C-alpha cells in the first residue's frame, strides 16, 4: 500500500505578507521550501497570479491559502477551483493554522481542511480574555 501524497500549498496574499508568513512557518517547523510557497499579488495581474499558482501546484491535491476572502487574491484562488477538483481555498489564514498545515499535511484534504479551520479559529483570542 502506498503512502498518501503530501499536500502542497501556496500562500497567495497582498504585498510582502506571504513571504513573511512562509518564512515564519519554515523557521518554526523546519519544513522544506516546497511545502508552502509564498506568492504575492504585488505588480501581478489576476491571470499572472493564477498561472503562478497553477505552475507551483500542478494537478496534485493542494491548498491555496489567502489573506482575505475578497480582493484579487481571494477571487483568483476561488476561480482556480472551478477547473481543479483537488484544490481547496482557505481564506483568512493565521500563523497557527499554517504551522498545523506544515506539520500534518499528510492527511487527506477532507480531513485536513476542517482541522485547519478549527485550529485557525481557536488561535484567535484576547488577553485578558473578553469572551
Amino acid at each position: 500500500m502506498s503512502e498518501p501524497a503530501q499536500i502542497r500549498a501556496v500562500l497567495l496574499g497582498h504585498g510582502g505578507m506571504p513571504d513573511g508568513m512562509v518564512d515564519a512557518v519554515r523557521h518554526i517547523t523546519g519544513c522544506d521550501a516546497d511545502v508552502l510557497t509564498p506568492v504575492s499579488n504585488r505588480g501581478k495581474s489576476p491571470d499572472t497570479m493564477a498561472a503562478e499558482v497553477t505552475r507551483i501546484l500542478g494537478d496534485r491535491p493542494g491548498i491555496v491559502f489567502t489573506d482575505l476572502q475578497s480582493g484579487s487574491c481571494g477571487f483568483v484562488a476561488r476561480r482556480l477551483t472551478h477547473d481543479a477538483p483537488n484544490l481547496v481555498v482557505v481564506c483568512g489564514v493565521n500563523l497557527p493554522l499554517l504551522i498545523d498545515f506544515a506539520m500534518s499535511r499528510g492527511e487527506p484534504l477532507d480531513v485536513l481542511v476542517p482541522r485547519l479551520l478549527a485550529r485557525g479559529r481557536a488561535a484567535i483570542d484576547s488577553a485578558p480574555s473578553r469572551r
Side-chain angles (χ1 to χ4, degrees), residues 6-64:
Q6 297 285 307
I7 304 297
R8 292 183 59 203
V10 167
L11 175 53
L12 178 60
H14 292 80
M17 185 281 276
D19 290 315
M21 295 280 285
V22 170
D23 180 62
V25 171
R26 290 177 185 164
H27 176 75
I28 293 167
T29 67
C31 69
D32 293 333
D34 67 341
V35 169
L36 179 62
T37 304
V39 175
S40 172
N41 73 337
R42 184 176 284 143
K44 296 176 185 167
S45 70
D47 288 339
T48 301
M49 287 186 283
E52 190 170 350
V53 170
T54 300
R55 178 187 57 77
I56 293 166
L57 294 179
D59 60 356
R60 296 178 304 263
I63 300 175
V64 179

Side-chain angles (χ1 to χ4, degrees), residues 45-82:
S45 70
D47 288 339
T48 301
M49 287 186 283
E52 190 170 350
V53 170
T54 300
R55 178 187 57 77
I56 293 166
L57 294 179
D59 60 356
R60 296 178 304 263
I63 300 175
V64 179
F65 295 108
T66 66
D67 48 3
L68 299 171
Q69 289 184 26
S70 60
S72 61
C73 300
F75 293 140
V76 165
R78 284 195 303 281
R79 186 179 79 198
L80 289 172
T81 65
H82 295 260

